[in-house]
Structures are given as structure tokens and as C-alpha cells.
Amino acid sequence: MAINHAGGSTVRVEQVDKQYDSKQGTVQALADINFEVSPGEFICLVGPSGCGKTTLFRILAGLEPPTSGEVILNGSTVTKPNTDMGIVFQEYHLFPWQTVRENVAFGLKKANVPKDERSQRVQQLIDLVGLEGFEDSYPKELSGGMKQRVALARALAIDPSLLLMDEPFGAVDAQTREMLQDELIDIWRETNKTVLFVTHDVEEAVKLADRVVVMGRNPGSIRGIVEIDLVRPRSRADPEFGEYYERVRDLIHT
Amino acid sequence: MATDIQQELERAAETTELPWLGIDLRRTALGIGGLALFVTLWWIASLFQPDFILPSPLAVAERFVSEAASGEMTTALGQSVRHWIPGTIVGTLLGVATGIALGWSRLLDDISSPVVRTLRPVPPLALIGFAIAWFGINHTGAAFIIAVGAFWINFYASYGGVEGVSDDLLDVARSLGVQSDLELIRSVVIPAASPEIMTGIRTGIGRCWMLVVASEIFGVPGIGRRILRASNNLQVDLVITYILVLSLMFLLVDTVFRAVQKRVLVWR
């Protein structure tokens, strides 16, 4: 399938620190963050609110510079967003003046992909995320779950090797979330992309990830990395699932 | 009992709405009623006043028809349009462009801020001297006054619109491969700010009809000139006639623009 040519990417996070100046003095948001992601891996960053995971996400995406340290994506330092990564936010951030089709086509248009190839690819992606029939709808006409599908298709369109997702399913209802999680796993398997997925939901992390990077607060730092050795699809009813869940939760609370 | 009334109201609402025409009959009927009341009050008031203070609605209607039939009205309208159109277009384009540029660039904003703040409170009418000196007593001079008025409204509307564009949308666009500022402005900033920009244009168009009168104060012919001359001659019926012409023109243009706006902003 044409959606599938870039393999996953390698990400190295090296000694990332982040400090903010506030009225109360300097705040240490992130301290000494180190981890590595191999090509095609699915990583979840999990932690309570205030642990700096969104800050780390923004640094990974090149939206914010670290105070020290660096993020290395496929061998080069990340300083600003680039087309090697597709970014998906919790609040979707679709272009409201564009239809589903136009939103998905945005990046391809910027890359000067010829029109025929573009529309073919856009249609493939729309089918992939299950939005056939809504090509000409505007974002205001879509539900939260549908908007997030569009955002995902839009991010996949430019064929990034890394998919960065910040609590992407945090704003949808529980049933939709479960459906989107399953679909994301399918898409990930089909496209071999590296996925970095931020969430505060331990269950979601255990359900999705190859490895869970567990963060704690004061200062935001890594408490441990848990490898989830369970076959997919994973079930919460599985006792082993429960053990992993406990382990991750205990790490957060230490 | 209460639900009966509610049902009846709902049924009434259903029967009075003609959604395929976009016309709400109930509102239209109320509007016509209000208008009738206004004209009646005007008529009663006019009974106790001489014509040069307040002519009756009928007298104004007669004058309106005779003025229209004589061709005077079309002449005046044609003259006013010759500075209203170029003034509005030039002022709008410059205002929108400047507003977007300063709303986007912190540097340009900082550089121009003192000048902008100095010039902003100057009423267009105060610039008549410049209009005469730079362009003369002609359509260009009048268009200049109108353009100044259109400029500020559009400048502030666009400036505010651009300032309000969410950084997140810009981040998304960058991650999808948009590199240059110009490209960001074209493909994200302008569409995202288009509701504010459109509101500015629409407000500006209305304000420019008001400025038509002011812009003709120094002798340029048109509707405003007619109003001023008729005022001097105490021909109040003629004054009201041309005020009505202005209102109707405004209504016409505003209705057309509103339809355009609705179509452009269909995504909202």
C-alpha cells in the first residue's frame, strides 16, 4: 500500500532539561530525561498531570526548545517541526475552513504532490481511518472521534516516519476511545511507523505500548520504563494485563 | 394547558417560516408593524409642524417620486458612487493588507505603533485640507476621505483577526511542511482570520456610505452635496429623500455582501 513506504524512525532523547521562569522563581519542569526509541516501536509516555509530559511532547515535536540536552531524530537534532514527524493533538486542531478532504490533502499540497496522485492518496487515507462519505464535510459537522480520525489521516498523509500524539483520545467518550485505540494499532502495524503516544491513562498505555515510559512530577522525570510483553489485541480481563497495570501505577506513585 | 400553548406556538412557528427563502414571516410581520408605527408617529408629529421643520411622510414620498422621475436622483447617485466605490475598495485593500502585516509581524508592529496611534484618532473629515491640496475638489479628493475611513476599520478588524489566530494551527501547518512566513499567512493566517476580516469589510462598507456625505462637504457633487444644499434651503423633504436614498443604498450593498459573507464562511 502506498501509505507505507517510510519505515519507522529512531528517536534519541539525551539529557533533556527544561526550566521555566515564573513569579515564584525558576521551575524545573523536566530533569534529565533520557530514552531511546527504535524504528517501528510504539512508546507511551504516561504520567500524572503536571509531570511535564506535554512539555516533553512539545520538545520532541520541536515546538519548544529544551533548556539543555537534545532530541535526535534519525540522526539530526530536532529544532523545529518537520515533515519527518506527524503531530496529532488532543484538540485536533483541524483547519476549520477546509473540508475533510482538504485537511488531509494539506501536507501533500505543500509538498507539491501532483493532483492525481494527491487525490488518490487522500482517498486511501480517508478510507484507512473509516471516513468514507464524509470527504466534503467541514470539521464543525463532525464528532470528536471523527475529527481525531481526520487529524490522524492528515498527519499520516505526508508519510512521516514518526507519529507524535498528545493525549489524542482524551477528549472523546470511552467507547469511541476504545475503537480509536484498536484502529490506531491496526494502522501502526500496517504502516510500520514509530509512535510516541502521550497519555495520563495507565490502562491506555498498557493496552497500546511496546514500552511504557513512566514519568513522575517534582521535577518531571522518568521513574522507569516498562516493557509490555503481551500479545495484541490485549484484554483488560487478562491477569497479566492487570499486573502490568499495577506495575506502571506503582511507578507513578513512588 | 401549558403544553397546548407551546404546541400551538410551535405549529405557528412552523407555518410562518419559509426556510427555503430564508425569510421568517413572523419577524417580517413584526418589522413591518414597527415601521408602520414609526411612520404613523412621524405623520402625527408632522401635523403640528410647518414643512420646513418636519414634512409629512406623504410629502416626502411625493418628493421622492418626483426627484426620481426627474433623473436628479440617479445623477446624484451616479456621482456619489464614483468616489464611494474607489474609496471603499482602496481603503479596504490597504487596511486589510496593513492589518495583516502588523498583526503578524511583531517587528513591524513595534516600529509602526507610535505612528499608528498618532494617526488613528484623526477623523477623516479633518483631512479635507489634504484632500483638496493633494487631489483637488473632485472625485479623487472625496474618495481619499472615504478611503481613510475604510482603512482604519479594516486595519483594526484584520489586525485583531490575525492576532487571534491560534498558535496551534500554525504549529500544525509547520509540521505539515509549511516553511515560509508568507506561505503561513496565505494558507493559515488569512483563512483563519477571514471571519474578522469579513466583518471589518462589511462594517467599512456601511461606514463609507456615511462618509459619502462628509466627503462631499467641500463641493464634490453627489448625494451628500444635495443633502447639504437642501438643508441650506430648508427643503427638509428633499433632505429626507436623499437620506432615504443613502439608507436604501446601504441596505442593498449590505444585503449583497451578507450573502457573499455567508457563502465564503460556510464552514463556520
Side-chain angles (χ1 to χ4, degrees):
Chain A
M1 212 166 169
I3 305 163
N4 198 0
H5 25 257
S9 48
T10 316
V11 184
R12 286 214 319 272
V13 181
E14 291 186 346
Q15 291 170 337
V16 164
D17 266 274
K18 181 74 184 183
Q19 285 153 13
Y20 289 110
D21 291 322
S22 77
K23 278 174 208 150
Q24 285 82 38
T26 308
V27 177
Q28 181 89 22
L30 292 172
D32 196 28
I33 305 287
N34 288 288
F35 63 92
E36 237 187 274
V37 187
S38 331
E41 215 180 353
F42 198 126
I43 298 283
C44 279
L45 275 170
V46 70
S49 51
C51 73
K53 56 188 191 298
T54 294
T55 307
L56 181 55
F57 172 84
R58 292 184 61 82
I59 292 171
L60 286 163
L63 300 171
E64 231 175 89
T67 308
S68 64
E70 58 185 345
V71 175
I72 298 162
L73 173 63
N74 296 332
S76 44
T77 306
V78 172
T79 52
K80 58 180 186 187
N82 64 58
T83 51
D84 274 347
M85 46 184 149
I87 306 180
V88 178
F89 295 93
Q90 179 176 355
E91 302 84 4
Y92 331 118
H93 299 316
L94 299 180
F95 301 120
W97 60 90
Q98 293 187 332
T99 61
V100 169
R101 199 195 304 278
E102 290 165 339
N103 264 284
V104 177
F106 188 93
L108 295 173
K109 230 170 158 177
K110 298 301 156 201
N112 293 319
V113 174
K115 208 173 166 207
D116 286 349
E117 192 187 330
R118 195 167 72 213
S119 48
Q120 199 187 340
R121 220 171 130 76
V122 166
Q123 194 59 52
Q124 269 179 358
L125 284 155
I126 290 175
D127 295 349
L128 182 74
V129 297
L131 283 176
E132 311 89 331
F134 293 95
E135 288 86 350
D136 297 314
S137 303
Y138 286 99
K140 70 161 181 189
E141 298 162 317
L142 304 177
S143 68
M146 290 162 93
K147 284 183 198 167
Q148 201 53 286
R149 288 159 198 258
V150 179
L152 181 59
R154 180 177 64 177
L156 287 172
I158 51 170
D159 203 15
S161 49
L162 171 66
L163 205 50
L164 278 169
M165 309 179 85
D166 185 15
E167 306 223 12
F169 309 145
V172 299
D173 62 82
Q175 280 139 315
T176 312
R177 183 180 315 144
E178 210 149 310
M179 217 154 71
L180 288 169
Q181 288 168 346
D182 294 341
E183 284 173 27
L184 177 63
I185 289 293
D186 289 344
I187 290 169
W188 165 66
R189 283 179 153 170
E190 196 170 322
T191 57
N192 294 318
K193 303 208 181 298
T194 304
V195 179
L196 255 164
F197 186 107
V198 175
T199 179
H200 66 272
D201 182 348
V202 174
E203 194 180 300
E204 184 170 57
V206 174
K207 186 175 175 193
L208 297 175
D210 290 328
R211 285 191 299 152
V212 178
V213 176
V214 184
M215 296 180 68
R217 58 187 153 200
N218 298 325
S221 57
I222 295 181
R223 294 291 158 86
I225 297 178
V226 179
E227 193 169 337
I228 312 288
D229 193 12
L230 289 175
V231 286
R232 297 184 173 88
R234 295 172 179 166
S235 158
R236 269 169 291 182
D238 183 351
E240 275 187 276
F241 189 104
E243 281 165 31
Y244 280 117
Y245 181 93
E246 298 291 324
R247 255 177 76 192
V248 171
R249 213 193 46 189
D250 290 347
L251 268 175
I252 290 175
H253 292 299
T254 47
Chain B
M1 181 68 192
T3 50
D4 282 356
I5 294 170
Q6 202 162 356
Q7 276 173 359
E8 201 169 314
L9 279 174
E10 272 167 15
R11 219 171 305 136
E14 273 167 36
T15 47
T16 53
E17 251 177 72
L18 298 173
W20 57 91
L21 281 176
I23 296 172
D24 181 341
L25 285 186
R26 192 179 146 273
R27 277 187 67 196
T28 314
L30 287 175
I32 290 172
L35 193 63
L37 184 68
F38 176 78
V39 174
T40 310
L41 289 175
W42 168 12
W43 175 69
I44 293 171
S46 72
L47 291 177
F48 308 101
Q49 305 293 339
D51 268 4
F52 65 90
I53 302 284
L54 187 65
S56 74
L58 195 65
V60 171
E62 276 170 5
R63 173 62 75 157
F64 192 100
V65 171
S66 73
E67 194 72 8
S70 72
E72 293 280 319
M73 194 183 282
T74 15
T75 310
L77 195 57
Q79 288 163 334
S80 284
V81 163
R82 281 181 64 189
H83 43 266
W84 178 77
I85 289 180
T88 307
I89 291 177
V90 171
T92 301
L93 288 178
L94 286 177
V96 169
T98 317
I100 290 171
L102 302 199
W104 174 255
S105 161
R106 186 67 186 270
L107 179 73
L108 285 180
D109 192 30
D110 288 346
I111 292 172
S112 59
S113 169
V115 178
V116 166
R117 285 170 182 216
T118 311
L119 292 180
R120 201 250 159 129
V122 177
L125 260 181
L127 300 174
I128 278 181
F130 293 106
I132 296 173
W134 295 346
F135 305 104
I137 300 173
N138 51 33
H139 287 303
T140 318
F144 168 73
I145 301 288
I146 291 171
V148 171
F151 177 86
W152 288 113
I153 288 172
N154 283 287
F155 171 79
Y156 277 100
S158 307
Y159 182 95
V162 169
E163 262 197 326
V165 174
S166 109
D167 286 338
D168 299 316
L169 283 185
L170 298 174
D171 286 343
V172 170
R174 286 192 188 101
S175 81
L176 290 171
V178 177
Q179 305 273 346
S180 68
D181 273 26
L182 216 61
E183 187 59 29
L184 269 183
I185 290 175
R186 209 181 59 77
S187 57
V188 179
V189 174
I190 291 178
S194 59
E196 286 84 1
I197 294 174
M198 295 292 271
T199 304
I201 296 175
R202 190 169 157 209
T203 317
I205 287 175
R207 172 121 171 85
C208 287
W209 275 116
M210 297 185 205
L211 279 171
V212 159
V213 179
S215 73
E216 291 168 8
I217 218 167
F218 60 101
V220 179
I223 295 172
R225 195 78 217 130
R226 292 294 159 98
I227 291 176
L228 294 168
R229 207 175 56 202
S231 299
N232 290 341
N233 297 337
L234 297 182
Q235 292 169 293
V236 182
D237 53 348
L238 203 55
V239 172
I240 299 176
T241 292
Y242 278 105
I243 288 174
L244 283 176
V245 172
L246 277 179
S247 300
L248 290 173
M249 283 313 292
F250 168 73
L251 212 65
L252 175 74
V253 177
D254 193 58
T255 307
V256 170
F257 191 79
R258 217 163 78 182
V260 173
Q261 192 179 19
K262 243 186 170 163
R263 180 158 282 199
V264 173
L265 301 180
V266 52
W267 51 271
R268 286 196 91 197

